[in-house]
Structure formats: C-alpha cells, structure tokens
C-alpha cells in the first residue's frame, strides 16, 4: 500500500464511514467558493463530530504530511475555504459540530460548536429572550467557526464591534493535534498572552476552531428601520453624525447603497418594491433599537431624529418601518446586494476600509478614476459607512469572457484600488479576510515588519505548514526583512 492509500485507509478508520468520503457527488459541491472564483480539488472530505475525533485526524495528517483546509458554511468571500488544485489537500468540514447551548441568559452567554449556523444561533438566543449581536447577509450558511476565523463584521459592528468582540472563550485543535481549551469565560484574566485573540481572524492557518463561548445581550423590545434618500455620500456621513447625536446608543446600523445597487436588487427580487417613490443618488438604511426600558419612546425619538434631519437638509425623502415585516423587507433589499450582483456577471470586489471621516471623499475620487482608466466598467460602493468600510465593486464591461477578464483587467483594477486604499491610510481587507484572493496583495502592500511577525507565528504554531496552506500569510520574506 502506498502512503496516500495508507493515509486514506487510516483516515476512514479514524472517522468512520459517515465522516469521511471521497464520493465526488458529496465532495464537489464544496470545492468552489461562494463567488465562484476559485475551484480546487481534494483528497476527500472529512467531517469529524468531536474535538477528540478531529485531534486524531490532525495527528494522522501530521504523520503523513497531509494539509487540511477547514471549512464552515463556505460563504466566505476570499477563497479561504477552497483547497488548491493539487488534489493532495484534505477538505475538513466542521459542519457536524453544530450543537448550540443551552443559553445562559443570566450569564449572558452561550457555548456552541464551530459548525453552528449563525441563523440558528440567533433563533436559539431569541427563544431564551436574548440576542446575539452580529448579523450578516450570509447568516443562513455562515458558521460560528467561519465567523471567528474571518473575524467577520456585518451590519451591527457600528454599535457592537466585530466577531472579536463577541468571543469570550475558544476551543481549538492545533497543528500537532493538541486541544486548546479555553471555553470558560473570565471577565479578567492576565495569565499571559490572550491566545484566543491570536486564533480569531487567523483563517484556519493557526488552529482549527471546534467550539466557542459567545456573548449575548437581552432581546430587543422594539426596532425601527428607516430608509432614507440622500443626495451624496458626504451628506450620508453628515446624517450618520446627526443620528448618533439624536439617538445615541439606540443607533444599531447605518448602511449605504447607490441607486444603481437598489435597481440591481429590484431586478433580482421581482416581488420587492422600492421603499421610496423617487430616485435618489444614494440610499441609507438606518436601524434604531430599544430594550424594554426605552421601547415606549422609540418611535417618537426616531420621528424627532428624522424631522430634524429633514430640517437640516440631510434627507430628501424617508420611510419608517411600520411593522416588523416592513423592517425585514428593508433589510432584505440590503442583504440581497451580493446575490443580485453575483447573478449579474463578472465583477471584482474590494472589501476596503479607510478612516471613517475620509470614506465619502475616497469613494467620490475612486469611482471616476477607475471608470476612466477601464472604459466600460462601472464602479459601485455600498455597505457599512458607519465603520469606514465599503464594498467597492467594479463590474466588467458587457460581453467580456469572465475568467480572462478577472485574470487580466480584473487583477489590474484590484491593484489600483488597493494602491489607492493604502495611500489613503486604509486596509485592503476590512472584514472578509485575506484568504487566497488577497494574499499576494497583502505581501505587496503590507507592513514588512507585521508580515515577518505573521510568518514567524505561523511557523511556530504550524511548523509543517499543514493548516490551510496558501492562505492569508504571504509566502515570500519581504525585501526589507529577509
Ligand atoms: C450574502 C453574503 C453576505 C455576507 N456579508 C458579510 C458581511 O456583511 N460581513 C462579513 O464579514 N462577511 C460577510 N459575508 C462573508 C461570510 O459570510 C463570512 O466571511 C463568514 O464569516 C464565513 O463563514 P463560513 O462558515 O461560511 O466560513 P467559510 O467560508 O467556510 O470559511 C472562511 C474561512 O474560515 C476558515 N474556517 C472556517 N471554519 C473554520 C474553523 N472551524 N476553524 C478554523 N478555520 C475555519 C476557512 O478555512 C476560511 O479560511 C457574507 C457572505 C454572503 C454569502
């Protein structure tokens, strides 16, 4: 028996029939990323159901030099969960480790498996009178492990922070098969490095997350979603400051999208309706919330916030949700931007941030610059203005061959966008991570000292380089730090 056959036989014996397959019908659907930009091949698909089973598998992989590619819901935007094309890597699904709870309402926390789906976590928290304060458009498939590994953001970062702020404890299997278990959440703990923070945002390159203890908040008593039309992104930013002054902590979300994005979504969702009668250059979705102590006055406070915004000339028109169904309908429009765009053909996406106050001017400068340099393209920016994070997408001219365009003009456009972002003091990855999509760009534009540190940490924790190789950590030593 050769080594590969030996490994496969032992992996099947370690995991059992249900948890290890090479059946293309079961493996192939997981070999392409959500955007369809990367397709890999795999030795097989492993789906362990416990940290102990995973630990045994990782030890086996270490003994045979087999690389592992962790995968949760495969909703990531950077190709981080897609294996390379060699067929030598093992795809590792955490989806069977999906237990949630019980919810500890008094302690405001819940422990769940890495494979728990975000939507299910929301439902479990809600059933116990609590809520998990992070959400995003991919909530029906994104898992706790994936959210932690990408340090995901979403639409509530403005008030509650990204995934990093929600994690109280972590359990993970390390590259040598050891189980790092720090699920017990201590409010104060100064016993050295905060190792869980190292794993958060490490995209499966330093350890495989198997469970986490997450912070919860009491359920909301009421929320109102406002859809407003505004003349420019600069005015949208002024409106954000106005809302923060008017309702303070009640402001939970503040998202922006241009008219062209809304039109794309309405084409994609034929039964949806535009919230406002007229066309506006930019649209803003504002969510305000209240717990039981403040719910009685929420509508009055929101109306007052809007009235003064109209008076100050910050809003051209606005609609306030009158029911939970209408609030959901407004959010559906926002959450459908990514699927609508995916359905419309090739584009290059940039998940970027610059200092919050500079974002309107950045977008105003970048859109015409890119469209002029690549005639026929259309650049759109939408997303989390309140966090200084927009998704800056450049849509290909009609009629191009998608793969050839992505490889040629698409890559050149991305380089120019990333150069601009760097010059404006920003980040080429605000919330989607680096994966394989941006690894070379991080190597090109990242701080050489920071990259060298990342390389050293990666080597210390994964000396054989078997955890998600080819992702996140740039390969080549930087010139100034050989
Ligand atoms: C419609 C839509 C909207 C989205 N909106 C947002 C948004 O607003 N904000 C945002 O931040 N993201 C957004 N995303 C992206 C995506 O949902 C997040 O990146 C999410 O965190 C990925 O979770 P996942 O379980 O699908 O991870 P995967 O895609 O499976 O994996 C992502 C990365 O994490 C690693 N990984 C997965 N599980 C583990 C584990 N248990 N241990 C170690 N490593 C692991 C993978 O190797 C990979 O590198 C959106 C996606 C979609 C489809």
């Amino acid at each position: 028996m050769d080594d590969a056959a030996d490994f496969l036989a032992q992996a099947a014996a370690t995991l059992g029939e249900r948890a290890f397959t090479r059946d293309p019908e079961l493996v192939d659907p997981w070999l392409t990323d959500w955007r369809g930009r990367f397709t890999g091949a795999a030795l097989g698909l492993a789906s362990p159901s416990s940290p102990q089973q995973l630990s045994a598998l990782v030890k086996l992989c270490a003994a045979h030099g087999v690389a592992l590619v962790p995968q949760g819901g495969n909703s990531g935007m950077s190709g981080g969960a897609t294996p390379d094309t060699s067929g030598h890597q093992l795809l590792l699904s955490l989806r069977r480790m999906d237990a949630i709870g019980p919810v500890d309402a008094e302690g405001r926390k819940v422990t769940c498996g890495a494979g728990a789906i975000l939507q299910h976590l929301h439902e479990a928290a809600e059933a116990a009178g609590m809520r998990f304060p992070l959400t995003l458009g991919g909530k029906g498939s994104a898992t706790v492990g994936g959210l932690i590994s990408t340090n995901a953001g979403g639409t509530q970062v403005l008030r509650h922070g990204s995934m990093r702020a929600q994690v109280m404890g972590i359990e993970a299997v390390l590259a040598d098969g050891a189980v790092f278990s720090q699920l017990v959440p201590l409010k104060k703990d100064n016993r050295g490095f905060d190792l869980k923070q190292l794993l958060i945002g490490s995209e499966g390159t330093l350890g495989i997350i198997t469970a986490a203890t997450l912070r919860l908040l009491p359920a909301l008593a009421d929320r109102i979603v406002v859809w407003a039309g505004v003349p420019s992104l600069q005015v949208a930013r002024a409106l954000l400051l106005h809302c923060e002054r008017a309702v303070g902590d009640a402001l939970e979300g503040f998202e922006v999208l241009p008219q062209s994005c809304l039109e794309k979504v309405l084409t994609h969702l034929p039964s949806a309706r535009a919230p406002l009668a007229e066309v506006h250059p930019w649209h803003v979705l504002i969510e305000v919330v209240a717990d039981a102590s403040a719910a009685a006055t929420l509508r009055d406070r929101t109306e007052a916030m809007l009235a003064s915004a109209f008076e100050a000339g910050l809003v051209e028109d606005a609609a306030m949700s009158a029911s939970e169904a209408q609030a959901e309908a407004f959010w559906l429009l926002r959450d459908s931007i990514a699927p609508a765009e995916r359905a419309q053909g090739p584009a290059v996406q940039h998940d970027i941030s610059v200092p919050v106050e500079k974002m309107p001017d950045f977008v105003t400068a970048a859109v015409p610059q890119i469209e002029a340099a690549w005639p026929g393209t259309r650049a759109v920016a939408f997303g989390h203005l309140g966090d200084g994070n927009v998704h800056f997408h450049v849509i290909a001219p009609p009629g191009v061959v998608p793969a050839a365009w992505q490889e040629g003009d698409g890559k050149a456009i991305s380089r120019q966008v990333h150069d601009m972002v760097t010059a404006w003091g920003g980040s080429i990855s605000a919330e989607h991570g680096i994966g394989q999509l941006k690894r070379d760009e991080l190597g090109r534009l990242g701080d050489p000292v920071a990259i060298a540190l990342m390389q050293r940490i990666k080597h210390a924790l994964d000396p054989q380089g078997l955890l998600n190789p080819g992702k996140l950590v740039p390969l080549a030593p930087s010139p100034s730090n050989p």
Side-chain angles (χ1 to χ4, degrees), residues 34 69-77 80-81 94 114 135-138 141-155 203-204 207-210 334-335 338-339 384 391 431-432 435 468 471:
W34 189 83
V69 180
Q71 190 180 79
N74 199 25
S75 70
M77 297 288 192
L94 279 299
T135 193
L136 42 78
S141 42
T143 62
V144 164
L147 293 162
I148 294 175
S149 301
T150 57
N151 184 27
T155 53
E203 301 185 30
I208 302 155
I209 291 155
T210 48
R334 161 65 186 92
D335 287 344
H384 322 299
H391 302 308
E431 60 174 7
H432 289 163
N468 216 3
K471 315 289 169 46

Side-chain angles (χ1 to χ4, degrees), residues 120-264:
H120 298 166
L121 172 59
H122 285 160
E123 288 161 6
E126 206 178 300
M130 304 297 288
R131 68 177 176 130
F132 178 62
L134 183 141
T135 193
L136 42 78
K139 64 184 175 226
S141 42
T143 62
V144 164
L147 293 162
I148 294 175
S149 301
T150 57
N151 184 27
T155 53
Q156 292 172 328
V157 174
L158 182 65
R159 183 170 176 208
H160 301 290
S162 62
M163 199 62 190
R164 199 178 284 287
Q166 321 309 331
V167 179
M168 301 170 84
I170 270 189
E171 178 188 78
V173 172
L174 306 180
D176 61 358
V179 180
F180 168 78
S181 187
Q182 227 173 56
L183 283 173
V184 182
L186 296 172
K187 198 151 191 170
K188 299 178 90 171
D189 181 8
N190 273 350
R191 288 173 294 175
F193 303 151
D194 190 346
L195 295 168
K196 73 173 179 304
Q197 293 296 348
L198 197 55
L199 291 168
I200 299 171
S202 68
E203 301 185 30
T205 62
L206 300 181
I208 302 155
I209 291 155
T210 48
T213 302
L214 303 172
R215 123 184 138 105
L216 299 176
L217 295 176
L220 294 172
D222 197 8
R223 71 162 173 169
I224 295 172
V225 179
V226 175
W227 192 285
V230 298
S232 70
L233 209 47
Q234 282 74 8
V235 173
R237 160 95 179 126
L239 178 62
L240 168 65
L241 296 175
H242 171 85
C243 295
E244 283 174 339
R245 277 194 300 269
V247 295
D249 266 1
L251 184 65
E252 177 114 342
F254 193 97
E255 299 284 306
V256 294
L257 59 151
Q259 175 71 24
S260 62
C261 252
L262 176 62
E263 283 165 11
K264 225 181 291 170

